[in-house]
């Protein structure tokens, strides 16, 4: 009896390589990781809505020539205090820096990020540049009416 050692070998498991400096990642990867950190528990529409907010911020900044939160996907996502998943003390930061490329939610976020970067993502938020979960009451939302409610988030535009 002969044993085919090649048939017995299994593919090596995909092991995540932790990212130490996200600023060196391309825009699409930053966007995918931001979506993973902010909305991985949402359905497709909820993740797409968060991606739309990021794209709307980029468009807003470009329309004005520049804006304090940044002019491109990477700077908008990584602007301190804007997306909590990137905050140093947020438990999601550790998860998104070491995400396993085989993680199902991450793969979905990657596909959405690709569509966003390619310019083919439909904006269901009606131009929103801000959002929050139902669990919080941020000062900037007070007195404003959400333009959309998608999944577990409320979306706003016209926030100064």
């Amino acid at each position: 009896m002969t044993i085919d050692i090649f048939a017995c070998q299994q593919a090596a498991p995909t092991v995540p390589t932790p990212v130490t400096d996200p600023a060196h990642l391309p825009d699409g990867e930053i966007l995918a990781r931001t979506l993973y950190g902010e909305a991985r528990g949402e359905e497709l529409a909820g993740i797409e809505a968060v991606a739309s907010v990021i794209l709307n911020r980029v468009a807003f900044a470009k329309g004005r020539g520049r804006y304090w939160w940044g002019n491109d996907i990477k700077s908008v996502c990584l602007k301190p205090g804007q997306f909590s998943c990137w905050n140093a003390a947020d438990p999601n930061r550790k998860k998104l820096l070491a995400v396993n490329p085989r993680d199902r939610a991450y793969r979905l976020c990657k596909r959405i990020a690709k569509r966003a970067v390619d310019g083919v993502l439909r904006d269901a938020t009606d131009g929103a540049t801000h959002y929050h979960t139902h669990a919080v009451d941020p000062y900037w939302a007070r007195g404003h009416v959400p333009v959309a409610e998608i999944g577990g988030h409320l979306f706003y535009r016209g926030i100064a």
Side-chain angles (χ1 to χ4, degrees):
M1 177 172 153
T2 60
I3 298 176
D4 184 352
I5 61 169
F6 295 106
C8 295
Q9 292 177 342
Q10 294 181 354
T14 304
V15 177
T17 304
V19 172
T20 55
D21 185 4
H24 295 304
L25 295 173
D27 278 3
E29 184 63 24
I30 290 290
L31 179 56
R33 288 173 187 251
T34 303
L35 298 176
Y36 183 81
E38 292 284 312
R40 70 181 170 276
E42 293 287 321
E43 298 290 329
L44 176 69
I47 301 170
E48 288 176 338
V50 172
S52 291
V53 165
I54 294 164
L55 295 180
N56 291 340
R57 284 186 174 201
V58 171
F60 181 85
K62 287 182 177 180
R64 294 188 72 172
R66 65 185 177 92
Y67 203 65
W68 66 268
W69 58 48
N71 301 330
D72 57 38
I73 290 172
K74 188 182 299 188
S75 59
V76 165
C77 289
L78 298 179
K79 182 71 176 177
Q82 293 305 297
F83 293 94
S84 62
C85 66
W86 289 106
N87 294 345
D90 192 297
N92 283 306
R93 182 181 172 93
K94 187 175 181 179
K95 292 176 185 176
L96 68 87
L97 290 177
V99 69
N100 187 324
R102 297 184 71 182
D103 181 290
R104 186 177 220 162
Y106 177 66
R107 290 194 328 252
L108 176 60
C109 292
K110 288 276 285 189
R111 289 192 302 273
I112 294 167
K114 175 154 181 22
R115 289 179 29 234
V117 169
D118 290 348
V120 295
L121 183 68
R122 183 182 71 81
D123 180 10
T125 72
D126 197 22
T129 55
H130 291 72
Y131 71 95
H132 66 81
T133 68
H134 292 283
V136 299
D137 180 26
Y139 72 90
W140 53 260
R142 294 182 189 135
H144 295 279
V145 176
V147 294
E149 181 175 353
I150 303 169
H153 293 103
L154 300 169
F155 294 84
Y156 302 82
R157 70 168 184 256
I159 305 292

